[in-house]
Amino acid sequence: MTTSLRVAINAQIVPGGGAGGVETVLVGLIKSLGSLDGPEEFVIIGPSQDPDWLAPYLGSNERFVRGPTPRLRWLKGLLGPLRPAARMVRGRMVAMRGRGVPGASVSMSDGFYERLGCEVIHFPYQEFVISGLPAVYNPHDLQHLHYPEFFSPEILAWRAGTYPAGCRLAHTVAVASAWVKEDVVRHYGVDPQKVQVIPWAPPTQAYPDPSPEVLDRVRGRYSLMEPFALYPSMTWPHKNHIRLLEALARLRDREHLRVRLVCTGFLNEFWPRIERRLDELRLRDQVVFVGMVPGEDLRALYRLSQFVVIPTLFEAASGPLFEAWHDGAPVACSNVTSLPDQAGDAALIFDPLAVEAIAAAVGEMTTNPDLRESLRQRGTRRLADFSWDRSARAYRAVYRRAAGLPLSEEDQWLLSWDWMRDRKAIAAPVEPAR
């Protein structure tokens, strides 16, 4: 296949600004696309206010442009010149609005995206802008429909407009698990054929392997002189930190088992409630929240941890689960949404709504070295089912399909199965020489 293709990748995320796992997934996607051979060119649209943070991850087939200032997020009163295709989409939105269909508040391009000279645009996180280009859209998950109490009225209103519009108007809706695909189809009435499952791989794979010197530095920097469990996550309510803290207090008070816990991730507006509960439970001497850490430090923390615990209430696919396996850490995680599919037999599964179940799992992981070693080995085997190279090639196939280009045998193979649920298909067809 020699047909060239130029794809715009919307990457207008400010680093350390609270995007959490979306930020690290974006790094993994951009780095892996930049490693592909082939005639494609990728135009990375970075934030106007911090345009250089993605530069270390760009490949020779990628170039960077600044995003519009201010970044398009809300519908503007007047539209700039649009290509005819964009005008047609706008007409569809007006018709949808007239029928009372959510989506009227979704942003529309003022011509910026069309002027990039690309044939396809990819929105790899929840932001979606209507333009004259065929779009690939990643809504990631529909958590707001399952736990609306975790969102402000403003965010709920924005999601109610953007998500269904993006899912219905995009050429392809890309999701990381079959569970999310089923959710999108059920709630938005999207044709299952346009929803493509493409699992992610370890987001931290883009960062360098921690050297012995880095491990020693991280051990000293965070005072890690005793075994500890690791929970890497922003402090969103659905990440379930409070029940995890209550489980640790239960182990201390009822079983006299003191488990040290290190939590990483952005401390957002829910953090004060977690901090209050931390003090009420008198856990300051064994639990530490270190906030955002550099990628190299995060990989070192995985390597140094006794195990990783993921008590989340909702997950499209867990980046920390992949990351733990990548650095050899055994895992205990929730039994909700897509996690059982992702974990397979490579994690100790528990009910995240029951403090007793969380405590039992943490206690077992702490006191059972044979279990930890077994899970470590299973995690290594399970991780072999995922790779950024495969994910990037699958996205390239989606871009080619959206542009109306013929698909290679490898493209068709990648888009024909879900390698999160189906582990039987191992070897890809050999790609013909270019």
Side-chain angles (χ1 to χ4, degrees):
M1 179 179 297
T2 59
T3 306
S4 63
L5 175 64
R6 185 174 295 167
V7 181
I9 309 290
N10 187 50
Q12 297 180 68
I13 287 179
V14 178
V22 171
E23 179 181 322
T24 54
V25 161
L26 189 59
V27 168
L29 176 65
I30 288 173
K31 183 168 182 175
S32 57
L33 289 173
S35 300
L36 294 179
D37 56 0
E40 289 81 14
E41 179 186 357
F42 302 100
V43 179
I44 310 303
I45 309 166
S48 60
Q49 59 270 56
D50 192 354
D52 298 325
W53 78 276
L54 287 166
Y57 310 107
L58 298 186
S60 60
N61 60 353
E62 294 175 314
R63 65 180 178 89
F64 179 87
V65 299
R66 288 175 181 263
T69 306
R71 186 178 63 161
L72 293 174
R73 185 174 183 88
W74 304 101
L75 179 63
K76 295 181 178 180
L78 295 175
L79 298 177
L82 300 177
R83 291 169 56 175
R87 295 184 187 277
M88 180 183 69
V89 172
R90 182 189 178 199
R92 289 175 60 191
M93 289 302 299
V94 171
M96 290 169 64
R97 188 186 304 122
R99 297 196 300 270
V101 177
S105 63
V106 68
S107 298
M108 293 189 184
S109 173
D110 64 356
F112 170 84
Y113 298 100
E114 293 85 351
R115 288 191 294 270
L116 295 174
C118 296
E119 289 80 37
V120 175
I121 186 167
H122 182 187
F123 294 97
Y125 56 95
Q126 294 90 335
E127 187 82 11
F128 182 79
V129 178
I130 299 171
S131 74
L133 302 176
V136 177
Y137 179 51
N138 288 76
H140 282 281
D141 63 58
L142 309 186
Q143 184 197 151
H144 61 291
L145 299 180
H146 297 268
Y147 288 100
E149 66 271 22
F150 292 162
F151 297 85
S152 69
E154 294 78 15
I155 295 299
L156 283 174
W158 180 78
R159 287 190 171 213
T162 301
Y163 278 47
C167 289
R168 290 167 183 163
L169 296 178
H171 178 278
T172 301
V173 180
V175 296
S177 66
W179 192 93
V180 177
K181 175 177 180 174
E182 293 157 4
D183 215 29
V184 167
V185 170
R186 180 170 62 253
H187 286 284
Y188 293 151
V190 177
D191 182 349
Q193 296 301 311
K194 73 178 287 184
V195 185
Q196 185 68 51
V197 178
I198 305 179
W200 299 117
T204 50
Q205 194 171 347
Y207 306 125
D209 287 346
S211 65
E213 293 76 21
V214 168
L215 293 174
D216 287 341
R217 175 181 58 77
V218 168
R219 189 181 288 109
R221 180 178 182 180
Y222 302 104
S223 302
L224 305 175
M225 305 309 162
E226 59 182 308
F228 66 93
L230 177 66
Y231 184 25
S233 170
M234 287 179 62
T235 55
W236 294 116
H238 76 277
K239 296 300 185 179
N240 210 23
H241 287 87
I242 288 179
R243 285 192 181 89
L244 177 57
L245 296 178
E246 291 170 348
L248 296 184
R250 179 183 293 263
L251 288 171
R252 178 198 62 198
D253 297 340
R254 297 191 181 183
E255 300 185 29
H256 307 291
L257 180 61
R258 182 182 182 277
V259 179
R260 179 154 169 74
L261 175 69
V262 174
C263 297
T264 67
F266 188 79
L267 305 179
N268 61 18
E269 60 269 21
F270 192 67
W271 162 242
R273 288 185 57 182
I274 297 173
E275 187 175 33
R276 240 184 350 262
R277 192 62 178 138
L278 183 67
D279 289 330
E280 291 168 354
L281 295 170
R282 306 184 315 280
L283 285 169
R284 287 279 187 179
D285 64 331
Q286 65 185 85
V287 177
V288 58
F289 285 78
V290 299
M292 294 292 291
V293 301
E296 191 175 46
D297 286 15
L298 181 57
R299 288 201 60 183
L301 288 170
Y302 280 115
R303 292 275 180 100
L304 295 170
S305 67
Q306 190 177 49
F307 63 92
V308 171
V309 58
I310 306 171
T312 180
L313 299 177
F314 196 95
E315 213 67 48
S318 173
L321 189 51
F322 286 134
E323 293 168 352
W325 293 336
H326 182 56
D327 278 304
V331 183
C333 76
S334 302
N335 63 357
V336 297
T337 61
S338 65
L339 289 175
D341 280 343
Q342 183 182 356
D345 66 351
L348 179 63
I349 302 295
F350 59 82
D351 178 0
L353 292 171
V355 172
E356 299 88 346
I358 301 173
V362 170
E364 185 70 10
M365 293 292 284
T366 301
T367 60
N368 190 335
D370 292 338
L371 173 63
R372 294 197 303 270
E373 181 56 31
S374 174
L375 290 175
R376 182 178 291 106
Q377 293 176 13
R378 294 182 201 174
T380 299
R381 289 196 299 268
R382 179 61 171 141
L383 187 61
D385 295 327
F386 306 95
S387 78
W388 272 114
D389 179 69
R390 184 190 293 171
S391 298
R393 289 175 183 275
Y395 272 102
R396 182 175 63 181
V398 165
Y399 304 150
R400 289 171 174 172
R401 187 173 63 186
L405 299 178
L407 300 185
S408 69
E409 184 180 354
E410 181 192 67
D411 292 337
Q412 296 174 49
W413 173 79
L414 286 166
L415 300 183
S416 67
W417 64 292
D418 168 12
W419 61 85
M420 182 174 283
R421 281 189 173 177
D422 181 6
R423 299 181 235 174
K424 295 187 292 296
I426 302 298
V430 176
E431 183 77 4
R434 291 185 172 85

